Amino acid sequence: MAQIKVDGELIEVPDHFTLMQAAEAAGAEVPRFCYHERLSVAGNCRMCLVEVKGGPPKPQASCALGVKDLRPGPNGEPPEMFTNTPMVKKAREGVMEFLLINHPLDCPICDQGGECDLQDQAMAYGIDSTRYTENKRAVENKYIGPLVKTVMTRCIHCTRCVRFTTEVAGISELGLIGRGEDAQITTYLEKAMTSELQGNVIDLCPVGALTSRPYAFSARPWELVKTQTIDVMDAVGSNIRLDARGSEVMRIVPRINEQINEEWISDKTRFVWDGLKSQRLDRPYVRKKGKLVACEWDEALKSVARVTKKAGTKVGAIAGDLCGVEEMFALKGLMQAIGSPHMDCRPAMSAIDPGADRASYIFNPTIEGIEQADALLIIGSNPRKEASLTNARIRKSWRASDMPIALIGDNADLTYDYQYLGDDFAALQAISDGSSKFSNKLKKAKNPLILLGEGAISQLGAGKKAGRDVLALALKIANDCGALSDEWNGFGVLHNAAGRVGGLDIGFVPQKGGVCSIDQTKLSAKGDIEVMFLLGADEIDMSGFGEAIVVYIGSHGDRGAHRADVILPAAAYSEKSATYVNTEGRVQMSTRATFPPGQAKEDWAIIRALSGYLKAPLPFDSLEELRSELYKKVPHMAKLNKIEPGSIAALKKQAKSVAKAPNVSFASPIEEFFLTNPITRASAVMGECAQMAAGMLKAAE
């Protein structure tokens, strides 16, 4: 620790603190443009100037000068810095005057207006006039993709965007060319950026040089109602804020949560908002004479009740990727009232055992815990596509410690170096028996991490036993290298669906005598299941249901709605309060930002109403009563923002060798990052991104 006086107040701070951090610790405000806590220090803007006693007779950049670099007084007094002296005030006014020499006065038409750092700091630290009358320079706007709009005349060369794309996103596509007044930030070949995190440069830009292209000229920040909620585009559970005007979500921005997403979000999360209003189901439909015909709720629910009563226990249910815990809990209750054991929330042929401890299907090390790992083995996953922010954490840990990483699966660009071991079971077996060089790295590591993807344990072609063999061998590797101990649980399953872990936690899986999702499809084709409930389930094969009556409860007119015989319109994630459990097992709750369109209702309310028509009413009439029932049966659901730890002993029991190598594939289940669910497929922006990505892939080939 080191002592320093800040504006006369003596404080103690860690040795590695900069003067800016010391000033903040003392409660003094220091303006800045180029400095950012999560990026390297550039020292470009000089806005953070302070006066140092005993130092050079000129202002010092507080972001680039460390506390330990200051000399004590002649009698050993602690060094002093000042943030509010006349020298500092004059220096900051001068810097602001320089910054505004070329900056255009286009605040009335700038999308950053109202939340612009340059506006705020010009008001607080600038002066009311300028001594410069020369013509302002103009810079040609650059096209860097369909997501980020550029007005480069506004750029102040803080280089935050360059440092973010290089350090955090892991792509070296933005940079500064030219010198002096000819300096420009650009993509070197003026092509679109390829990072799935590029939208974060919009939040980082302190001026209006980089703004959201889809949101441009749509609204002003003071017009929007802001709602704090949870993202469902993947299983990370990023904390976000929905900004809405009236009944329409206008934009999505991140909230800071150090344990999950820090302050970043993926582009799919940020720009999917236009899909929330497109292709919506806003009234019930019943199929008559081969065509879906709009009807009233009473008619739709009566028709569902009629065919369900006729089917008896020959009823199945599949929950989709975006389902909240409440609606799955309600549907499970309805299926039990009917007497049907057929229900599932897992992907086809998943090896996840519903009777096993939750440690076998959650990401036990936690997302934040990735930074403690010192060796990583990725099996059957592409984290960059499946969980972009988890991939960013892996890159962060790799940059900080040069952590050794190995991959079994798709040989893809993950933005960090790794040792590619292959894409077959033999590569996994080599790790287990010690014939792979990476085995020694895992055993030498203090905190080894085994990351198992859904692509490894969901073996559609090979069957459940093959997936279970992969899971068992992965657990054996984790146990042998010391990843399963009381101090460190380094085994984690990386899911890609927001509703998956919550469904597993409440037991939305085949009950005694029930079958999994793909077997339900086969039974439907045979006529052994006569009614199929699809709760937002669109990522399944719709061609195999045969003559079964399909009841689709969902928000968008996607694959499930096209196959449905009855459509019951439901709310999207932005239109309901629901509980979601992320891939690490953390319970979080979303908040409603807008109301569902037309006659659409919340999913749980539809299921509760249907239970009344079936003369088997569920024991709740409100969301509060439903949650009360839920918390009685699954107590850890009441522990918001907490993780219920799993049993390490249970994991060790599942660990075993595999005698006969199964014929398995370790390919990632996500082929197209931008089109993974009904909301993304309804989004024009996501469609454009997918088309551009496909074009780039074709050009590369």
Side-chain angles (χ1 to χ4, degrees), residues 256-477:
I256 296 177
N257 188 315
E258 300 293 347
Q259 297 172 311
I260 303 174
N261 58 302
E262 298 182 295
E263 61 183 85
W264 320 121
I265 54 174
S266 74
D267 293 340
K268 184 163 55 176
T269 298
R270 183 184 297 270
F271 295 105
V272 78
W273 50 266
D274 68 318
L276 290 169
K277 59 185 178 182
S278 301
Q279 299 182 24
R280 290 303 303 270
L281 301 172
D282 58 358
R283 59 184 308 177
Y285 288 85
V286 174
R287 192 176 295 277
K288 297 178 181 178
K289 296 180 181 179
K291 292 185 178 181
L292 286 169
V293 179
C295 64
E296 296 302 318
W297 272 106
D298 183 62
E299 180 184 348
L301 292 173
K302 279 182 178 177
S303 67
V304 175
R306 184 171 60 252
V307 297
T308 305
K309 286 177 182 176
K310 184 180 177 182
T313 59
K314 294 181 177 180
V315 181
I318 301 175
D321 294 352
L322 307 184
C323 291
V325 170
E326 288 82 358
E327 51 254 38
M328 286 188 283
F329 182 75
L331 185 55
K332 181 184 177 183
L334 181 64
M335 296 297 288
Q336 290 173 331
I338 293 170
S340 171
H342 307 304
M343 62 187 85
D344 206 357
C345 66
R346 300 168 300 174
M349 300 309 293
S350 172
I352 295 173
D353 183 359
D357 187 83
R358 81 190 303 248
S360 66
Y361 60 78
I362 65 172
F363 195 77
N364 295 284
T366 72
I367 295 171
E368 190 178 30
I370 291 172
E371 296 180 34
Q372 299 175 31
D374 49 5
L376 170 63
L377 173 63
I378 302 173
I379 307 168
S381 176
N382 182 338
R384 186 173 177 183
K385 285 186 177 180
E386 297 171 30
S388 308
L389 295 163
T390 301
N391 195 64
R393 284 275 191 170
I394 295 172
R395 175 175 168 78
K396 180 180 178 182
S397 183
W398 171 76
R399 289 186 71 241
S401 62
D402 199 22
M403 172 176 67
I405 303 173
L407 171 69
I408 301 174
D410 294 333
N411 191 5
D413 178 11
L414 299 182
T415 72
Y416 41 80
D417 296 336
Y418 61 83
Q419 182 181 342
Y420 184 62
L421 303 179
D423 62 352
D424 55 9
F425 194 81
L428 192 63
Q429 194 78 55
I431 293 282
S432 178
D433 60 27
S435 59
S436 170
K437 291 181 180 179
F438 196 76
S439 302
N440 295 328
K441 294 181 180 179
L442 283 175
K443 289 177 181 177
K444 288 178 181 177
K446 183 181 178 184
N447 295 329
L449 197 161
I450 311 298
L451 188 157
L452 191 61
E454 281 192 358
I457 56 177
S458 299
Q459 296 294 340
L460 182 57
K464 271 186 185 177
K465 187 179 184 305
R468 286 173 183 159
D469 285 343
V470 174
L471 177 61
L473 192 57
L475 282 167
K476 182 179 183 299
I477 292 169

Side-chain angles (χ1 to χ4, degrees), residues 598-639:
Q599 298 178 32
K601 301 180 185 298
E602 292 187 33
D603 312 61
W604 73 266
I606 295 171
I607 297 165
R608 171 61 184 86
L610 179 58
S611 72
Y613 280 80
L614 288 168
K615 306 301 181 188
L618 294 172
F620 47 80
D621 295 313
S622 67
L623 187 57
E624 290 73 22
E625 291 177 7
L626 186 158
R627 284 177 176 155
S628 178
E629 290 290 322
L630 172 65
Y631 298 158
K632 286 177 188 174
K633 294 184 178 179
V634 191
H636 75 260
M637 287 293 172
K639 301 174 183 177

Side-chain angles (χ1 to χ4, degrees), residues 486-529:
D486 294 335
E487 294 78 27
W488 169 255
N489 187 342
F491 175 80
V493 176
L494 187 64
H495 294 278
N496 54 56
R500 188 90 72 235
V501 177
L504 292 167
D505 276 351
I506 66 168
F508 196 89
V509 289
Q511 307 299 297
K512 187 176 181 181
V515 296
C516 67
S517 57
I518 197 164
D519 288 339
Q520 288 184 51
T521 306
K522 293 175 182 177
L523 290 179
S524 299
K526 293 177 183 177
D528 293 333
I529 286 183

